Amino acid sequence: DARVTQTPRHKVTEMGQEVTMRCQPILGHNTVFWYRQTMMQGLELLAYFRNRAPLDDSGMPKDRFSAEMPDATLATLKIQPSEPRDSAVYFCASGSPDRIYNEQFFGPGTRLTVL
Amino acid sequence: GQQLNQSPQSMFIQEGEDVSMNCTSSSIFNTWLWYKQDPGEGPVLLIALYKAGELTSNGRLTAQFGITRKDSFLNISASIPSDVGIYFCAGQLISSNTGKLIFGQGTTLQVKP
């Protein structure tokens, strides 16, 4: 049963602390997307990678957020230092978009609370 | 930036009723996807549409890719309590080939038994 996995599922931290979220895409998928979901903003695309290379991270606050794919089975999203306004659910999604098919499959999310 | 207008924002219906929701844009899309999100979970893909005019069903769900390529709708027939959740439309602009999707703001569905 191929699924996107994310860890941790929940994270509570204090302002100023570093937060690292991890994602394992579905085996064989070459594109990984990071989203943030809040009640006010809905689903926002933060960054995405194809074949481990960053394609677009314009949705991400660059001063405190960073995203990497150290290998094909792991994507990370890091916030340093974290702030209360970063509290949200962060989703990872993976897919293998081509000229025709563009389906993305989402993980269960990491619910982040910054106090 | 590009936007999808999804409506209605929320619906409260009686079990057994049919449901209809839609997404519209001023831009042209080559892909429309419909997702459902349960509380505490990630969005789950329900239906994918890739051709203008395409009509696709998945059980009690039916979705269509608008002929103008600027809209899509999702219908749920004979709703049941487990249909409760947030439904999102998502599309890829015809000018894009990166797999990047634009999401609607979601339709929250509540079903009264």
Side-chain angles (χ1 to χ4, degrees):
Chain A
D1 185 20
R3 297 185 188 186
V4 175
T5 58
Q6 289 186 248
T7 57
R9 290 294 310 273
H10 302 272
K11 176 72 176 180
V12 179
T13 190
E14 292 189 345
M15 182 174 62
Q17 297 297 305
E18 178 178 300
V19 174
T20 298
M21 291 169 271
R22 294 176 175 81
C23 166
Q24 182 172 5
I26 293 173
L27 188 64
H29 282 182
N30 66 359
T31 307
V32 173
F33 303 82
W34 282 106
Y35 292 89
R36 176 170 62 185
Q37 186 178 39
T38 61
M39 288 293 291
M40 295 300 294
Q41 299 296 329
L43 271 169
E44 302 174 86
L45 178 64
L46 299 175
Y48 61 109
F49 294 75
R50 176 166 293 172
N51 297 322
R52 297 175 55 199
L55 278 190
D56 186 352
D57 61 1
S58 60
M60 203 163 67
K62 306 273 191 320
D63 56 338
R64 299 183 299 107
F65 284 60
S66 61
E68 295 179 345
M69 274 201 80
D71 62 62
T73 64
L74 177 65
T76 63
L77 179 67
K78 188 175 294 186
I79 308 174
Q80 167 62 21
S82 57
E83 298 180 0
R85 59 179 168 153
D86 300 329
S87 297
V89 182
Y90 291 81
F91 289 105
C92 171
S94 74
S96 287
D98 58 25
R99 191 173 58 84
I100 300 174
Y101 299 108
N102 302 293
E103 297 157 13
Q104 292 181 22
F105 298 89
F106 282 76
T110 294
R111 180 175 294 276
L112 174 65
T113 302
V114 183
L115 303 174
Chain B
Q2 303 293 342
Q3 285 192 332
L4 286 181
N5 300 310
Q6 186 171 350
S7 65
Q9 190 173 1
S10 62
M11 303 181 74
F12 190 91
I13 62 169
Q14 197 78 30
E15 182 177 0
E17 290 182 353
D18 295 344
V19 172
S20 184
M21 59 191 78
N22 67 81
C23 274
T24 61
S25 176
S26 57
S27 301
I28 297 175
F29 290 79
N30 62 13
T31 300
W32 284 100
L33 306 174
W34 285 92
Y35 288 86
K36 182 194 177 197
Q37 185 176 21
D38 290 327
E41 300 295 330
V44 173
L45 183 64
L46 299 173
I47 293 179
L49 302 160
Y50 294 104
K51 290 183 183 178
E54 181 181 357
L55 186 71
T56 297
S57 293
N58 177 6
R60 294 178 294 106
L61 278 61
T62 301
Q64 184 160 29
F65 193 138
I67 197 72
T68 65
R69 297 177 176 259
K70 296 181 180 181
D71 60 354
S72 177
F73 72 74
L74 174 70
N75 286 343
I76 305 173
S77 63
S79 58
I80 59 178
S82 62
D83 291 333
V84 165
I86 305 175
Y87 292 80
F88 291 98
C89 63
Q92 177 176 261
L93 291 168
I94 199 167
S95 57
S96 170
N97 64 353
T98 63
K100 178 179 176 180
L101 297 175
I102 299 171
F103 280 82
Q105 288 294 92
T107 295
T108 300
L109 177 64
Q110 294 178 288
V111 179
K112 184 178 180 182

